[in-house]
Amino acid sequence: MSLTSGFKRAGIGLALGSILVAGGVAGLSSAASAAGTSPATNGCYAQWWNTAFAGKCSSATKAMWPVYVYGDCSAELDWEDGPFSISKGYSGTFHSNECTFSVNKAYLLFS
C-alpha cells in the first residue's frame, strides 16, 4: 500500500464517520421535539415540551395535598418535585422544571 492510498482511505473513513455523527445528532434533535399532556385528575394534569415540564390545573374540582410533579428525563436522573397544595377552583401553572436533554413524559402523583 502506498502512502497516497493510505491517506485516501483515511479521508474516506473520516468522511463516513462525520456522516454517521451528523445523522446521530439529527436523530437526537428530532427525538427532543416531543410534547404531550397527561390525563387530568380532578382538573389537574402535567404537560411537557422539548426539555420543560409543568404541573397545571384548569379549575381544580377539589382541594388536593400532596401533589407531586414527576418529569421522566432522557439520559439523566428524573425529577420529582413537591409536595404542592392545590386549592379547589385553582387554574394555572403551579410548578415547572426542566431536563437537560429532553423529557420523555410527565405526570402528577397523588399520595
Side-chain angles (χ1 to χ4, degrees):
M1 171 169 26
S2 72
L3 185 58
T4 306
S5 66
F7 284 135
K8 284 181 184 175
R9 286 186 185 184
I12 290 170
L14 287 173
L16 289 174
S18 297
I19 291 169
L20 291 174
V21 168
V25 170
L28 286 176
S29 63
S30 64
S33 63
T37 303
S38 72
T41 302
N42 299 318
C44 297
Y45 56 94
Q47 194 168 22
W48 67 94
W49 304 271
N50 293 334
T51 58
F53 60 95
K56 298 182 169 196
C57 294
S58 178
S59 191
T61 59
K62 69 177 197 173
M64 296 174 278
W65 186 89
V67 179
Y68 295 88
V69 181
Y70 185 87
D72 177 11
C73 299
S74 179
E76 65 181 294
L77 295 175
D78 298 339
W79 287 97
E80 182 178 298
D81 300 326
F84 301 99
S85 179
I86 307 296
S87 301
K88 181 178 180 179
Y90 177 77
S91 290
T93 300
F94 61 89
H95 181 71
S96 63
N97 205 336
E98 211 161 314
C99 299
T100 303
F101 302 107
S102 66
V103 181
N104 296 319
K105 64 181 176 180
Y107 50 92
L108 302 182
L109 298 170
F110 306 89
S111 58

